[in-house]
Amino acid sequence: MTELFAQLLRQNFAELEAAARSWGSLAKKLGDTQAGCGKYVSGPLHRDKWAGVGADYGFAALEATESKLGTGRVNAQLIHAVLDTLHARMQESQRTLRNAVADAEKAGHTVRADGWVEPVEAVDPKYHNDPDYQGVQQRANTGLGGYRARIEAAVTEASTVCTQAAELLHQIDPFDLDKRYGADHTREDAVRVGEFLGVDRKSLPDGKDPKRTAEWWAGLDGEKRDMYLAAFPERLGTLDGLPTTVRDAANRTTLDMQLNDYALRENSLGHHDRYLYRSLGALKGRLDEGDTAPVEKQLYLLKYGLSKDGTAVISVGNPDTASNTAVFVPGTSHQLNSMGGDIDRMSKLQDAAGKRTPHGASDVAAVVWLDYDAPELDTSAGNADLSVLGISTDDRAQAGGVKLRDFTHGLRATHQGAQPTHLTVLGHSYGSTTVGAADAGGSGLGADDLVVMGSPGLTVNNAGQLHTDPRHLWVGAAKDDKVSEFASGLSLGPDPKVPWFGARQMYVDTHGHSGYWDDGSQSLGNQGRVIAGLEPENRGAAPWPDQPSYSPPAPRRWL
């Protein structure tokens, strides 16, 4: 212990602190470069619709470059975290050691150069035969063992943490920096470094309570937040109750890793994986394009999944800071490869609401929520597939409704404004069935307004069975909407547009099942009004009572 004791007692950790700070600075610069690559290079190219063989190769190269910059950023972040933690723990060991030495010397002991604490000679040794000698000596050296143990523990702790740090730094392999699989290897390194910092998977929230998840995140310091993001991005990206920017960063990291994995296995991918690879690549391009947009049009990837036909939750604008938030649930035949069109709809809804708010679109966030398995439906040429794979049962709506409730409760938990955001949940087609199931179950959606369009049913017998006030349940249906006309009232609950159901009519002036977002239409404008906290304008429509009386038909079992 001689050499380690003397070294720890005198050590100046300024150089170690400077090294940690330098690696942290490098991590930030690499992160800024990665973000800049998307914002100033790939983003504008996507926005300008660069296409062709050259574009295919070019975008693939840019994606690989951005991924490698991300790998380098995380590696530098991990080295910074190891050195910073090593610095903190070594300083703590040094304080412990110096305090133990000072306390021992204050008690009259001598601490040798090798760290050994000599006993106090309270009585001249020549009196060792005196009957009281042993008692006096024992009382004088009562704390001797404690001082020795404290000094040994401090030196042992310093030695242990040095060994652990050295092993971790050795495992962070620079060979990964220029490889497409490097990001995944770096995540494995992050898990090991996380354990060194006291960050592990067991301490992650279970995801059952968005409010508790928000409180957990708020209680972490910046370094631990960074480490959780580096080590467990696939988990953090799914947790309702985490800030929008955190989920976006986590999901973009896992999206890059997934695309890298597909790229490495491209020649052996099956049909389904090829579909997902193309769909995720298109999603990545749309996100990159969004990086060049104004602040209110920035895109946030709040979730994505690879099950079935793929799922995704994307927000136009940040719901954590918006005064008005819209959550749109698409219906039949929507899947991952249709996300581009849904994002366009969200942008239209944001603009329509922004025209009715004091600060325009910056007051509004519009989220497309496709985190459930939307059924398939063919309404072409007047056909309506109402099979079990379509909209004949509410099984998928009930399963999706649980997730939708957690999501909206998470939005409530993460909102940063002085006043709660005005929350509107909109559902189209079978998406309205999912909205109905979500609001009827549990504690409801916590929404201020519900809007359903082209609905085949809301899974309830009347509006009073929902948690949302019926006066804030708006139903829109075009006269030639085949789903609303022929499917509503069959198996998913009564037709919500009939007066006795208890909802309120929202005037629409568009045609068909998917025209509700036509540019310049009153259908779009009325949705915008509701999102902005206003009532829709019922041009040409007979007004429905503000507080309808319920006169449901004879009891019937609705599936």
Side-chain angles (χ1 to χ4, degrees), residues 295-332:
V295 173
E296 67 272 12
K297 293 293 183 181
Q298 295 286 311
L299 300 182
Y300 297 90
L301 180 59
L302 301 181
K303 197 174 185 181
Y304 80 95
L306 305 181
S307 62
K308 304 292 183 177
D309 296 322
T311 59
V313 181
I314 297 174
S315 180
V316 180
N318 189 340
D320 291 351
T321 58
S323 300
N324 303 277
T325 301
V327 177
F328 171 71
V329 184
T332 51

Side-chain angles (χ1 to χ4, degrees), residues 8 13-14 17 86-96:
L8 181 60
F13 296 109
E17 182 181 18
L86 175 63
H87 173 249
R89 291 176 64 177
M90 288 293 286
Q91 279 196 317
E92 180 61 30
S93 295
Q94 186 181 67
R95 283 192 295 269
T96 300

Side-chain angles (χ1 to χ4, degrees), residues 324-326 349 353 364-365 422 424 426 526-534:
N324 303 277
T325 301
L349 285 176
V364 183
H422 176 266
T424 303
L426 308 94
N526 272 340
Q527 292 176 72
R529 290 182 64 84
V530 175
I531 293 169
L534 305 172

